[in-house]
Amino acid sequence: MRKLFGTDGVRGTANTHPMTAEMALRIGAAVGRYFRREAGGVHRVVIGKDTRLSGYMFENALTAGLASTGMNVLLLGPVPTPAVGLMTRSMRADLGVMISASHNSAEDNGIKFFGPDGFKLSDQAEMEIEEMVATGVRLAQAHNIGRVRRVDDARFRYGERVKSSLTRGLRLDGLKVVVDCANGAAHRTAPEILWELGADVVPIGTSPDGLNINRGCGSTCPRTAAEAVVAHGADVGICLDGDADRVIVLDEHGTVADGDQIMALLAARWAAEGQLQGGALVATVMSNLGLERFLGDRGIGLERTAVGDRYVVERMREGGFNLGGEQSGHIVMSDFSTTGDGLMAGLHFLGEMMRSGQPSSELVRQFVPVPQLLKNVRFAKGQTPLDTASVQSAIAEAEGVLNGTGRLLIRKSGTEPLIRVMAECEDEALLERTVDSVVEAVADAVQA
């Protein structure tokens, strides 16, 4: 079993195992050696980051580790995660690295890896790299140590790619847009792109100080943007997270639309135009049952995967699908990007507003969601509350109660020390009782 890697790379609190400078150095050396297994030729890696204070520390540690195995390192600076996937492929690099803990708070950080094709690494590759971290690697000879340089125009290259995904000639003239950049990686890129396309831009969350990423703003806290939408009389709000790989949309009243609603809009539109490859949308087990019914009514299939946008992408690649994502706002449009791209998805929503002439309030409500409740229980390192008999019993009882009327999903988060308990049911009172019964059992097991 993997010990370092979770569902989206290595993640944790900065300066606490495994997110220490020493471990980042070892990981850099291991992944560098992994991608230099074949001798000869020039080997290069691109490294991007978000705006966390600890990003400087990990950037330097990873750079040292990678260079020590002969990898030439290209530093992109603060860029969205999808920009790293793009630049890895366009610069013919062997490897891409993104230093970010995505939507987590500033004290956390993480390391995500992309292969030469711009896609995130497989579980098997991550397991092999973990083994190399544990056993150590052979370093390059002194004359073969890698070189390091900065790439100054990465965000501009990425911006052009994002704009090129839209219908040629599309402009956003007359559209007032609040864009919340979460004080993160897109704090300059997103407002610039919207302005270039003609929108009247109201930017918020664009003053990162290393400690305020995702704090009271962004896709995990859309209240700030919702207030700005109403106060400025904006037509729509776009909320990104710290590394801009997910998006939440707000209508002109400040009402929130999650990834399920955005995917429903895009899937229906693409299917009507014959652009939806494979006749299906790929989403995770967390997506609402209402989305599944909406798609079914239109003859569109729904392929469900484990939670994590890379599992969505793996299924898309296996089945030849070109649209997928997560309820949390990771939207993957594989015709244009190798991973979730919040800014790109947000622009396509704005494009649909311009094409249809409909207000955002008409587009954010594609289907009526089945009541869904999600609660989290935090646990300590080393605890395995889901393995206890009392929790197993509570889960079995809850599944029996919901049998035929809803569904229950309990899982361990791959990015935080949390047990997530989610259920769907038309009967909201029954829904709350069911979730609470499992949450109580998990909490008791944690405290025991």
Side-chain angles (χ1 to χ4, degrees):
M1 294 181 63
R2 298 179 302 172
K3 296 180 179 179
L4 286 176
F5 288 87
T7 57
D8 199 14
V10 182
R11 190 176 298 189
T13 303
N15 270 350
T16 302
H17 181 80
M19 289 306 301
T20 64
E22 178 188 10
M23 181 57 73
L25 179 70
R26 292 169 59 190
I27 292 173
V31 76
R33 178 54 63 190
Y34 179 83
F35 280 93
R36 281 211 66 199
R37 287 175 295 183
E38 300 296 330
V42 176
H43 298 271
R44 59 173 54 168
V45 53
V46 298
I47 300 181
K49 63 180 180 178
D50 63 22
T51 57
R52 296 164 206 271
L53 180 63
S54 60
Y56 294 98
M57 176 177 72
F58 292 119
E59 181 183 56
N60 287 324
L62 285 164
T63 297
L66 288 158
S68 74
T69 56
M71 297 286 281
N72 292 327
V73 181
L74 304 174
L75 301 175
L76 308 181
V79 292
T81 287
V84 174
L86 166 69
M87 296 293 286
T88 302
R89 194 155 62 174
S90 69
M91 299 193 78
R92 288 21 174 209
D94 300 272
L95 171 68
V97 183
M98 179 65 183
I99 303 168
S100 174
S102 191
H103 59 282
N104 288 26
S105 55
E107 62 267 20
D108 290 345
N109 216 327
I111 307 170
K112 311 177 188 183
F113 295 104
F114 295 84
D117 55 3
F119 291 95
K120 291 181 180 177
L121 301 186
S122 67
D123 287 347
Q124 181 60 38
E126 290 180 346
M127 289 178 66
E128 292 180 32
I129 292 168
E130 275 206 23
E131 185 176 348
M132 295 173 76
V133 171
T135 59
V137 299
R138 177 172 51 86
L139 302 181
Q141 295 179 344
H143 62 279
N144 285 330
I145 292 172
R147 301 175 183 270
V148 183
R149 61 174 291 184
R150 291 199 172 273
V151 178
D152 296 324
D153 62 347
R155 65 187 179 91
F156 298 108
R157 297 194 201 188
Y158 165 69
E160 290 305 305
R161 176 56 176 165
V162 170
K163 288 187 292 184
S164 71
S165 73
L166 297 172
T167 302
R168 182 179 295 274
L170 175 71
R171 291 187 57 83
L172 305 178
D173 296 331
L175 205 62
K176 180 178 279 192
V177 182
V178 169
V179 59
D180 184 347
C181 302
N183 292 314
H187 72 280
R188 296 179 66 185
T189 307
E192 286 175 350
I193 290 176
L194 289 167
W195 176 81
E196 289 171 3
L197 291 171
D200 180 1
V201 185
V202 180
I204 61 176
T206 55
S207 302
D209 62 10
L211 300 174
N212 62 358
I213 189 170
N214 298 315
R215 190 171 70 196
C217 57
S219 63
T220 54
C221 185
R223 183 187 69 254
T224 302
E227 292 172 351
V229 167
V230 175
H232 290 272
D235 299 296
V236 63
I238 302 295
C239 298
L240 306 174
D241 68 335
D243 65 336
D245 66 351
R246 64 167 68 180
V247 65
I248 294 295
V249 174
L250 306 170
D251 71 11
E252 68 270 27
H253 309 298
T255 303
V256 175
D258 63 15
D260 283 351
Q261 297 287 353
I262 300 170
M263 288 189 291
L265 172 68
L266 296 177
R269 178 65 180 169
W270 288 15
E273 296 179 343
Q275 297 178 9
L276 188 67
Q277 295 178 12
L281 169 74
V282 181
T284 76
V285 292
M286 295 294 288
S287 280
N288 195 275
L289 183 59
L291 171 63
E292 187 171 341
R293 294 172 177 172
F294 170 87
L295 296 173
D297 290 343
R298 288 156 181 78
I300 303 171
L302 177 64
E303 298 275 327
R304 289 191 184 266
T305 74
V307 174
D309 69 307
R310 71 192 184 99
Y311 298 119
V312 170
V313 172
E314 285 177 4
R315 181 67 191 112
M316 291 173 66
R317 298 178 74 187
E318 290 170 358
F321 306 107
N322 64 342
L323 181 63
E326 295 189 277
Q327 185 185 65
S328 60
H330 286 116
I331 310 296
V332 184
M333 295 177 282
S334 61
D335 292 339
F336 314 111
S337 182
T338 60
T339 189
D341 193 323
L343 178 55
M344 185 181 290
L347 287 179
H348 278 256
F349 182 91
L350 301 182
E352 185 62 16
M353 288 182 65
M354 300 301 291
R355 186 204 66 79
S356 68
Q358 295 181 320
S360 53
S361 55
E362 291 293 323
L363 299 180
V364 299
R365 193 70 168 178
Q366 293 294 302
F367 63 89
V368 178
V370 173
Q372 189 178 74
L373 182 61
L374 170 65
K375 293 190 177 183
N376 300 318
V377 182
R378 188 169 293 275
F379 61 93
K381 183 178 180 180
Q383 289 186 313
T384 56
L386 293 184
D387 295 336
T388 63
S390 58
V391 172
Q392 291 291 322
S393 176
I395 292 173
E397 183 176 348
E399 289 175 334
V401 170
L402 288 177
N403 185 33
T405 64
R407 67 188 185 106
L408 179 69
L409 177 66
I410 294 97
R411 68 181 186 88
K412 180 181 176 182
S413 171
T415 58
E416 300 176 83
L418 298 172
I419 300 298
R420 304 194 188 277
V421 181
M422 190 275 283
E424 287 179 327
C425 181
E426 299 284 2
D427 185 336
E428 294 192 48
L430 176 61
L431 174 66
E432 188 161 356
R433 288 198 305 272
T434 303
V435 170
D436 286 345
S437 67
V438 177
V439 166
E440 183 178 349
V442 175
D444 289 344
V446 169
Q447 295 168 8

